[in-house]
Amino acid sequence: MKKLTILTGAGISAESGIKTFRDGDGLWENHNITDVASPEGWQKDKSLVLEFYNQRRRQLHEVEPNEAHLLLAELEKYFDVQIITQNIDDLHERADSTNILHLHGELFKSCSCENKNLIYEQKSDINLGENAEDGAQLRPFIVWFGEDVPLMREATIMAQEADIFLVIGTSLQVYPAAGLLHDIKDDCLLIVVNPNETGFGYGQRAVVIKETATQGMKLLFKELLSLA
């Protein structure tokens, strides 16, 4: 089976009702992004950060995968599929995709703020004073701005091995994830599904579909099957 590597971003989850902070105002739910998604914000106000992600987690219980998620899962019947997602939700999992790499962490997990290798399932709120087994405060298992992306090496290998690389629902503004496009082979087919210009310099090599994630996947699905 051909290797199909898929990089997904906020645009695919937005169609399920999950809000994205990259709407042009630099805010996320009326918060400055550095206040709720950076180590500095955590040190400044842990309660604010915990409540922010508690709200995201509650919302995640209320949404469902959309047609784009379901079609990506369906592709596993025809390709060796690997999804690299920048999203922290579990909508790919709920759509029954099986090979998912969460570059930026997972909302339904928590970890020790002193040791990110102490990881726990977290379907409910995290409260101030709730500690990991090492005695340190629990925090969201999220890669914040300014932190290392520990799974980047694994994602790079997946990009390098791809026969087809599909980018869907991401503006390619967040690094190092956007840099994965530089790692694909010269003969790898690059397909980008995004309704807006990304400004990313992939030149003439990409097949660009200027549609939303769901509409783009509906248009693309049969074409992909012809390449299997």
Side-chain angles (χ1 to χ4, degrees):
M1 298 176 93
K2 288 184 179 178
K3 290 184 178 293
L4 171 59
T5 301
I6 304 164
L7 175 65
T8 67
I12 192 170
S13 295
E15 293 187 71
S16 286
I18 294 179
K19 293 181 180 179
T20 170
F21 66 87
R22 289 193 175 270
D23 289 331
D25 58 6
L27 299 178
W28 195 358
E29 297 287 288
N30 297 315
H31 293 290
N32 187 301
I33 197 64
T34 57
D35 289 339
V36 293
S38 72
E40 294 77 17
W42 173 251
Q43 292 303 322
K44 179 182 175 182
D45 193 340
K46 292 181 175 65
S47 294
L48 173 67
V49 175
L50 289 175
E51 180 55 25
F52 176 81
Y53 287 97
N54 287 343
Q55 291 176 14
R56 310 279 75 68
R57 199 176 297 107
R58 292 171 209 150
Q59 183 198 26
L60 186 50
H61 284 291
E62 299 172 355
V63 299
E64 298 292 339
N66 59 55
E67 191 168 0
H69 293 108
L70 298 173
L71 288 173
L72 292 183
E74 185 78 6
L75 287 171
E76 290 190 14
K77 295 178 181 177
Y78 310 96
F79 295 92
D80 177 3
V81 176
Q82 176 65 59
I83 294 176
I84 304 167
T85 187
Q86 299 172 80
N87 300 331
I88 60 175
D89 59 66
D90 68 340
L91 296 180
H92 284 304
E93 285 88 345
R94 281 195 256 163
D96 291 330
S97 287
T98 59
N99 300 309
I100 307 149
L101 186 75
H102 283 272
L103 269 185
H104 296 157
E106 298 178 61
L107 193 51
F108 279 155
K109 291 183 179 179
S110 60
C111 64
S112 163
C113 68
E114 299 295 336
N115 181 359
K116 279 193 175 181
N117 293 316
L118 291 177
I119 303 167
Y120 309 91
E121 291 296 315
Q122 190 73 45
K123 295 295 181 72
S124 58
D125 289 0
I126 305 174
N127 298 304
L128 204 60
E130 291 182 347
N131 296 337
E133 59 200 81
D134 63 352
Q137 170 68 44
L138 285 175
R139 57 160 275 183
F141 184 63
I142 306 295
V143 177
W144 287 326
F145 290 96
E147 293 185 320
D148 290 335
V149 183
L151 295 178
M152 196 62 207
R153 177 174 172 77
E154 191 174 341
T156 298
I157 293 170
M158 293 169 187
Q160 291 170 340
E161 294 177 344
D163 297 305
I164 303 170
F165 195 88
L166 170 60
V167 179
I168 181 166
T170 172
S171 60
L172 298 171
Q173 299 295 309
V174 177
Y175 281 82
L180 289 171
L181 269 69
H182 297 302
D183 297 311
I184 62 177
K185 297 180 292 191
D186 289 342
D187 60 351
C188 175
L189 174 61
L190 173 61
I191 306 170
V192 178
V193 177
N194 195 299
N196 305 309
E197 285 289 348
T198 66
F200 194 92
Y202 40 68
Q204 300 299 311
R205 89 167 280 184
V207 176
V208 180
I209 300 172
K210 288 190 176 182
E211 297 286 354
T212 61
T214 51
Q215 187 61 29
M217 278 308 301
K218 283 192 264 187
L219 291 171
L220 184 60
F221 190 79
K222 286 185 180 180
E223 297 295 326
L224 281 173
L225 297 195
S226 71
L227 300 173

